[in-house]
Amino acid sequence: AQSVTQLDSHVSVSEGTPVLLRCNYSSSYSPSLFWYVQHPNKGLQLLLKYTSAATLVKGINGFEAEFKKSETSFHLTKPSAHMSDAAEYFCVVSEETSYDKVIFGPGTSLSVIP
Amino acid sequence: ETGVTQTPRHLVMGMTNKKSLKCEQHLGHNAMYWYKQSAKKPLELMFVYNFKEQTENNSVPSRFSPECPNSSHLFLHLHTLQPEDSALYLCASSPGLAGARRSYEQYFGPGTRLTVT
């Protein structure tokens, strides 16, 4: 069975400092992994995805994530936080199933301090 | 309009009311989803439709009834809801599956904020 763990429910960083949001997964098969962002009162927006190509994945708004199979991790990083990055972030795992099923992590709330 | 749209954006209903949520995708996708997002809880998948056929129903109470008349439209019919059903209901779409097993990212609408009084 697949599952997703986001190790921090809340992360707070100062503007201009690096961001690290941690995600670990378990999967019986070769997974696809995604990060989504949700701003207040908005739907979820895809930040980036890993689908068994390059292990370092670049996304929108300067975010990137590295797939590490040996550590079963897919941590999200950004070199320099911006105020507009304050939002909820979801790590998602999807296996090759017959009905396109995805499992969402519980989310990490990112605060950016001016 | 582009992407995934949902109407209404906000809905307040009594426990005896009947209402429907509407979702429309303009991406040419073949799979559509309903999710429930409650405060302090992980996103819950409710229903999945792939090529208009329902392929997932995660033990959702019968007071929620989905309808997918075509690949572009998805409805969630609501009746005799409970206060604990108050949540943000999100619709999503993805390219879907046709034969080969594939995984695709999902594209989300803005959600309908439902309050049951």
Side-chain angles (χ1 to χ4, degrees):
Chain A
Q2 51 184 336
S3 66
V4 178
T5 303
Q6 291 184 243
L7 298 162
D8 306 293
S9 60
H10 183 82
V11 170
S12 184
V13 300
S14 296
E15 189 175 17
T17 65
V19 176
L20 170 64
L21 304 182
R22 297 182 292 169
C23 173
N24 287 90
Y25 70 92
S26 66
S27 174
S28 303
Y29 305 98
S30 297
S32 294
L33 293 157
F34 311 86
W35 275 99
Y36 288 84
V37 60
Q38 184 179 29
H39 288 93
N41 299 312
K42 302 281 188 181
L44 279 71
Q45 180 185 18
L46 180 68
L47 274 179
L48 49 80
K49 63 179 179 179
Y50 165 78
T51 55
S52 72
T55 56
L56 182 62
V57 181
K58 294 186 183 299
I60 61 172
N61 301 333
F63 284 95
E64 63 181 38
E66 185 172 7
F67 173 69
K68 292 187 176 180
K69 187 175 181 179
S70 60
E71 299 177 9
T72 60
S73 69
F74 190 58
H75 301 334
L76 182 70
T77 61
K78 183 174 180 178
S80 176
H82 191 272
M83 294 299 295
S84 61
D85 295 328
E88 190 84 14
Y89 291 80
F90 296 92
C91 182
V92 179
V93 63
S94 175
E95 292 184 351
E96 293 187 351
T97 68
S98 61
Y99 44 80
D100 207 8
K101 187 173 183 177
V102 295
I103 302 296
F104 282 76
T108 297
S109 177
L110 175 65
S111 298
V112 181
I113 305 166
Chain B
E1 294 232 42
T2 59
V4 181
T5 58
Q6 290 186 243
T7 55
R9 293 294 309 277
H10 300 272
L11 178 62
V12 179
M13 60 186 288
M15 290 191 288
T16 58
N17 291 157
K18 289 185 180 181
K19 297 286 184 183
S20 296
L21 309 184
K22 179 183 176 181
C23 175
E24 184 173 0
Q25 59 95 1
H26 309 269
L27 301 167
H29 289 167
N30 294 304
M32 296 188 77
Y33 310 76
W34 279 118
Y35 288 90
K36 177 183 179 183
Q37 187 177 35
S38 305
K40 310 298 183 185
K41 293 177 70 175
L43 209 64
E44 300 172 54
L45 177 65
M46 300 175 72
F47 301 102
V48 180
Y49 279 83
N50 192 38
F51 288 92
K52 300 188 297 179
E53 297 296 322
Q54 185 174 312
T55 58
E56 180 79 7
N57 176 347
N58 280 336
S59 303
V60 179
S62 60
R63 57 185 182 270
F64 295 92
S65 175
E67 179 189 1
C68 187
N70 54 59
S71 295
S72 299
H73 294 86
L74 184 64
F75 295 89
L76 188 63
H77 303 300
L78 317 170
H79 65 97
T80 59
L81 294 191
Q82 305 298 311
E84 60 264 30
D85 296 323
S86 298
L88 181 67
Y89 288 84
L90 292 164
C91 174
S93 71
S94 72
L97 299 161
R101 295 180 173 186
R102 307 279 289 277
S103 293
Y104 296 97
E105 63 271 25
Q106 297 181 7
Y107 295 82
F108 285 81
T112 295
R113 175 68 62 187
L114 174 66
T115 302
V116 181
T117 60

